[in-house]
Amino acid sequence: MPETNYPFEITDVEEETSKMLMKYFTGEMTGFVRVGPKGYFFPHKFKQEAANFYNMAIRPSDIFVTSYPRSGTTWTQELVWMVANDLDYETSNAIPLTERYPFLEFSVCVHPENMQKFIEENSHDESKLELLRMVTKPGTELLAEAPSPRFIKSHLPLSLFPPNILDGKMIYVARDPRDVAVSFYHLNKSMRTQGYMGDFKLFWNCFMNDLHHWTPFFEHLKEAWEKRHHPNLLFLFYEELSKDLPGTVRRVADFFGKNYSDLQIEHLCDHLSIESFKNNNSVNYDVMKELGIMVGNKEFIRKGKAGGWRDYFDEDMTAQAERWIADNLRNSDLRFPHL
């Protein structure tokens, strides 16, 4: 039953399906839930936080960067932060992106048993424990104490935010789902909060069949796409960032009412290039590695190229993906710019 202060029903995913998923996604030990009429998929812990997300107080100065995971979120976060903060490279280099942008719902992905492990592993170092507390604290609590303007990262779909979410500004970024799946697969293998143990094919099937965090993918995109003409929402495609970064920077600057010279934009594009990004500790999620939440030698910023999915899909998967994309876009005018 929905709580009085939460309008959506939250139902447990069938036990058999949950057990199968937990065998492969070892970071979750309780099970999964579906939320609302579209059935958004989350770890069980979402139940505790759902009403807090929906009822959080929005400030007109808030700046949200939202997306389905691995759609270019980090890239967009840095771009937006730089544009909105008058190209303050000094602060950008000094303060990690994780601190500049609390990740609203990350705590939902940290199972209590994992949290206990992380505490034990970092118990020898008080500063690491403090960092761990900050990273895993519910985002709504962190944000309630944060000074304005607040920069907020989230992968929640629009409908699970407060109804007045667009009193603040939002930049939403979307990407070809095949590239998203490849990138998210790698992240799920390296983040212990997900602890994925399967192969890519199984991951793709979970993703496509709405059995993974934040899915259904296309519903997520369509909710933002429908609001793309709202004056406080800017809808971007990853492929536009890849193809014409200066043009995208100008669109973001216009959105914030900022005016930068060609030279300033060129300098910012250098700062945002994938090569610079890979070597930029501030955006590379070193915090997660430091705390042992992210393991292995995987980089948070991977190749950053569009179309890399072709290295992972066999002929059957390619045909299946094309059908799936076509079916989901049939009644929508949403189109990826490169397709």
Side-chain angles (χ1 to χ4, degrees):
M1 285 299 292
E3 295 175 42
T4 47
N5 59 351
Y6 195 67
F8 302 119
E9 195 174 354
I10 300 179
T11 53
D12 290 343
V13 168
E14 313 72 36
E15 196 178 349
E16 213 169 291
T17 306
S18 269
K19 277 185 176 161
M20 181 279 288
L21 289 168
M22 287 189 288
K23 197 171 97 182
Y24 293 104
F25 293 93
T26 60
E28 180 53 43
M29 297 119 187
T30 304
F32 303 92
V33 295
R34 290 197 180 281
V35 183
K38 292 173 183 171
Y40 284 110
F41 188 97
F42 290 101
H44 191 264
K45 202 174 163 192
F46 188 84
K47 282 183 178 179
Q48 293 172 26
E49 294 286 330
N52 295 336
F53 298 141
Y54 192 79
N55 295 299
M56 71 184 270
I58 301 299
R59 304 175 193 168
S61 56
D62 285 343
I63 295 168
F64 286 84
V65 172
T66 63
S67 66
Y68 187 86
R70 308 309 283 174
S71 299
T73 326
T74 308
W75 206 9
T76 307
Q77 281 176 266
E78 182 68 1
L79 172 114
V80 164
W81 192 93
M82 290 298 290
V83 166
N85 286 285
D86 301 322
L87 310 179
D88 182 355
Y89 291 96
E90 200 179 328
T91 306
S92 157
N93 292 330
I95 301 177
L97 203 59
T98 35
E99 282 180 47
R100 286 181 274 142
Y101 278 87
F103 180 177
L104 183 61
E105 69 273 21
F106 182 65
S107 61
V108 163
C109 301
V110 185
H111 192 278
E113 287 179 39
N114 264 336
M115 187 62 186
Q116 213 34 58
K117 281 183 206 161
F118 299 147
I119 289 170
E120 283 162 21
E121 289 165 14
N122 290 288
S123 60
H124 59 284
D125 185 333
E126 192 47 54
S127 66
K128 279 192 177 181
L129 283 176
E130 188 46 48
L131 194 58
L132 180 66
R133 279 191 284 271
M134 187 201 84
V135 168
T136 56
K137 189 175 184 174
T140 49
E141 288 177 28
L142 275 174
L143 288 163
E145 305 157 2
S148 296
R150 303 183 299 185
F151 288 79
I152 303 158
K153 165 191 170 174
S154 177
H155 297 309
L156 290 181
L158 236 59
S159 56
L160 301 186
F161 281 112
N164 68 331
I165 180 72
L166 294 181
D167 286 358
K169 281 188 173 328
M170 180 181 285
I171 295 85
Y172 184 97
V173 59
R175 185 184 190 184
D176 186 316
R178 295 163 295 192
D179 281 329
V180 165
V182 169
S183 186
F184 207 18
Y185 160 72
H186 285 288
L187 189 70
N188 273 260
K189 285 186 94 66
S190 63
M191 290 290 278
R192 288 165 70 195
T193 48
Q194 320 297 108
Y196 182 61
M197 296 297 182
D199 61 9
F200 177 69
K201 200 166 203 167
L202 178 70
F203 184 88
W204 168 250
N205 279 318
C206 291
F207 175 75
M208 202 175 48
N209 290 299
D210 308 333
L211 291 170
H212 194 33
H213 297 21
W214 295 283
T215 59
F217 176 83
F218 280 104
E219 291 300 332
H220 199 300
L221 267 63
K222 285 174 189 172
E223 286 192 16
W225 181 249
E226 280 158 20
K227 298 273 190 212
R228 70 191 181 282
H229 299 307
H230 191 289
N232 280 352
L233 187 135
L234 179 64
F235 193 106
L236 300 175
F237 285 100
Y238 181 90
E239 291 77 13
E240 295 172 319
L241 284 157
S242 291
K243 201 172 170 184
D244 180 13
L245 189 53
T248 310
V249 169
R250 285 190 180 90
R251 282 184 65 197
V252 173
D254 287 347
F255 183 64
F256 285 106
K258 303 277 185 180
N259 202 354
Y260 295 118
S261 69
D262 290 351
L263 199 62
Q264 286 174 311
I265 287 176
E266 193 183 322
H267 186 192
L268 179 56
C269 289
D270 284 345
H271 173 75
L272 293 167
S273 74
I274 289 296
E275 280 320 303
S276 301
F277 236 45
K278 281 187 148 179
N279 301 313
N280 182 344
N281 291 341
S282 178
V283 300
N284 241 313
Y285 278 58
D286 287 14
V287 168
M288 296 298 181
K289 290 180 184 171
E290 218 178 298
L291 296 172
I293 295 174
M294 192 174 182
V295 292
N297 57 2
K298 291 271 188 269
E299 294 304 321
F300 188 80
I301 305 295
R302 287 182 63 256
K303 295 179 180 171
K305 68 172 181 175
W309 61 268
R310 289 180 179 84
D311 303 338
Y312 289 80
F313 282 66
D314 60 28
E315 271 178 48
D316 286 349
M317 289 166 78
T318 300
Q320 180 191 39
E322 281 171 8
R323 279 195 306 274
W324 177 66
I325 292 170
D327 285 349
N328 277 284
L329 294 181
R330 185 160 291 137
N331 300 316
S332 168
D333 59 355
L334 167 64
R335 293 293 177 270
F336 294 92
H338 61 296
L339 292 182

